[in-house]
Amino acid sequence: MRVVMFGYQTWGHRTLQALLNSEHEVVLVVTHPKSDHVYEKIWDDSVADLAEKHGVPVLLRNRPGDDELLRTLREAAPDIIVANNWRTWLPPEIFDLPPHGTLNVHDSLLPAYAGFSPLIWALINGEQEVGVTAHRMDSELDMGDIVLQRSVRVGATDTATDLFHRTVDLIEPIVRDALDMIESGTAVWVEQDRSKASFFHKRAIEDSAIDWNWQAEDLERLVRAQSDPYPNAFTHHRGQRIRIVSAAVSEGRYGGTPGRIFIREGDGVVIVAGADARSGERHGLLVKRVRTEDGTEHAATDYFRTMGGYLTR
């Protein structure tokens, strides 16, 4: 088939590589210009560079739909469009243009976690599995019929970085297998259950701020979800921002005011956590390693030399 690819960052790069490795012909690539957004500078393998390396024409667009793009798409005469991590809405004059429409590849188990940063949100929310879905694009965000979906388990100590690597490795086989089914006419399209849909917004730095009213179990997942190279979960100590690099749920239960720097436990320092922590029935967050704004990393037991005082949002 003749394929046009819309995509960006490493997800788009892996998708384009899968297409280039296939028997299909990539006739055009559309990607976004480089961005200074903090999350878009992570996993930023260049789709444009890969396309140009293989002699595939490239168009750079923040948003689609202009006359030049539409004219170029029609001239390319694709049998199908494949999209992955395209950051803006595609209009129907684009996604419905090819005979086989547009196949969108999304890094969640749709209909849950449509939208942005699905791996991070899923880890924060304690999901037991994550994955990748290939579905037909329509006018609703990530809600088109599904043709293929694969999942991986979330381990007790997995970080968002671990889950990224495991799910991004699913892209090539999903793209290959989905296109084979579509081309052969054996694809079975399954309608999404709208009652189970959930939609999430882009992450921003503010979303990484620690709220000590959260229970320790939730905060521990937030720390894992904001693993390097993502902007780490952060709090403030004596007016200075510090990032929590590594943490666990304390073994003991500790009562008091959320955010209190309480006591050493093993190789870390316990911070009281949970809106109902005054009951003394909640675990604290055992902070193990922190990073100051100058980039220096410290063992928490070295950084918090005296107990007492508070960490604040």
Side-chain angles (χ1 to χ4, degrees):
M1 293 189 291
R2 291 172 61 83
V3 182
V4 168
M5 207 282 289
F6 279 73
Y8 187 49
Q9 295 178 281
T10 300
W11 296 269
H13 188 279
R14 287 290 188 97
T15 302
L16 177 56
Q17 189 65 67
L19 293 170
L20 293 168
N21 290 343
S22 75
E23 296 180 354
H24 306 288
E25 180 186 4
V26 184
V27 295
L28 177 67
V29 164
V30 187
T31 187
H32 298 300
K34 286 186 176 293
S35 170
D36 289 330
H37 187 286
V38 62
Y39 280 91
E40 294 187 6
K41 293 169 72 174
I42 303 170
W43 316 126
D44 63 347
D45 292 304
S46 172
V47 171
D49 289 352
L50 179 60
E52 290 168 357
K53 177 181 176 182
H54 289 268
V56 179
V58 177
L59 290 178
L60 296 178
R61 291 292 188 277
N62 284 311
R63 294 184 179 275
D66 60 273
D67 291 343
E68 181 192 7
L69 174 58
L70 292 172
R71 182 176 63 253
T72 305
L73 281 173
R74 293 189 185 103
E75 291 172 352
D79 295 302
I80 192 168
I81 293 172
V82 178
N84 193 347
N85 199 41
W86 181 259
R87 311 298 279 178
T88 61
W89 181 69
L90 289 180
E93 55 264 33
I94 290 179
F95 67 70
D96 277 342
L97 185 148
H100 290 293
T102 295
L103 182 75
N104 187 52
V105 182
H106 181 71
D107 54 336
S108 84
L109 296 175
L110 294 174
Y113 297 94
F116 299 90
S117 305
L119 291 178
I120 294 176
W121 290 115
L123 183 52
I124 289 171
N125 289 333
E127 301 293 348
Q128 297 301 300
E129 60 179 8
V130 295
V132 175
T133 301
H135 69 100
R136 178 181 283 130
M137 184 178 288
D138 62 16
S139 59
E140 297 185 72
L141 178 65
D142 296 330
M143 286 304 299
D145 294 350
I146 293 171
V147 66
L148 194 58
Q149 190 171 71
R150 290 183 180 148
S151 64
V152 295
R153 297 292 296 173
V154 178
T157 60
D158 279 340
T159 66
T161 306
D162 296 326
L163 298 179
F164 164 80
H165 287 298
R166 295 217 294 275
T167 55
V168 81
D169 284 344
L170 295 175
I171 290 174
E172 181 160 0
I174 278 187
V175 169
R176 180 189 64 235
D177 293 348
L179 290 184
D180 286 349
M181 289 187 291
I182 292 168
E183 184 182 31
S184 67
T186 60
V188 177
W189 299 91
V190 179
E191 184 178 358
Q192 294 192 44
D193 184 347
R194 304 299 178 92
S195 69
K196 296 180 179 179
S198 56
F199 300 85
F200 287 80
H201 61 74
K202 289 182 180 180
R203 298 286 297 177
I205 293 298
E206 293 79 4
D207 298 313
S208 301
I210 291 176
D211 181 347
W212 293 104
N213 287 301
W214 286 20
Q215 293 183 19
E217 293 82 358
D218 298 327
L219 292 176
E220 188 269 341
R221 290 197 303 273
L222 175 65
V223 171
R224 285 192 283 126
Q226 296 294 161
S227 56
D228 292 339
Y230 296 103
N232 305 118
F234 68 87
T235 187
H236 287 85
H237 179 235
R238 297 176 178 171
Q240 301 297 314
R241 179 182 292 188
I242 58 170
R243 301 179 185 277
I244 308 300
V245 177
S246 175
V249 176
S250 69
E251 292 185 7
R253 289 178 167 83
Y254 301 93
T257 301
R260 176 77 174 187
I261 306 164
F262 192 9
I263 193 171
R264 292 189 179 192
E265 182 185 278
D267 60 351
V269 173
V270 175
I271 312 299
V272 177
D276 55 353
R278 291 174 180 80
S279 68
E281 297 179 355
R282 294 294 180 189
H283 295 279
L285 185 71
L286 182 68
V287 176
K288 295 185 175 184
R289 299 197 67 80
V290 302
R291 183 179 293 139
T292 51
E293 283 293 84
D294 63 2
T296 304
E297 191 169 315
H298 306 264
T301 50
D302 292 334
Y303 182 82
F304 298 110
R305 294 187 177 277
T306 59
M307 300 297 100
Y310 293 86
L311 299 181
T312 61
R313 188 179 175 90

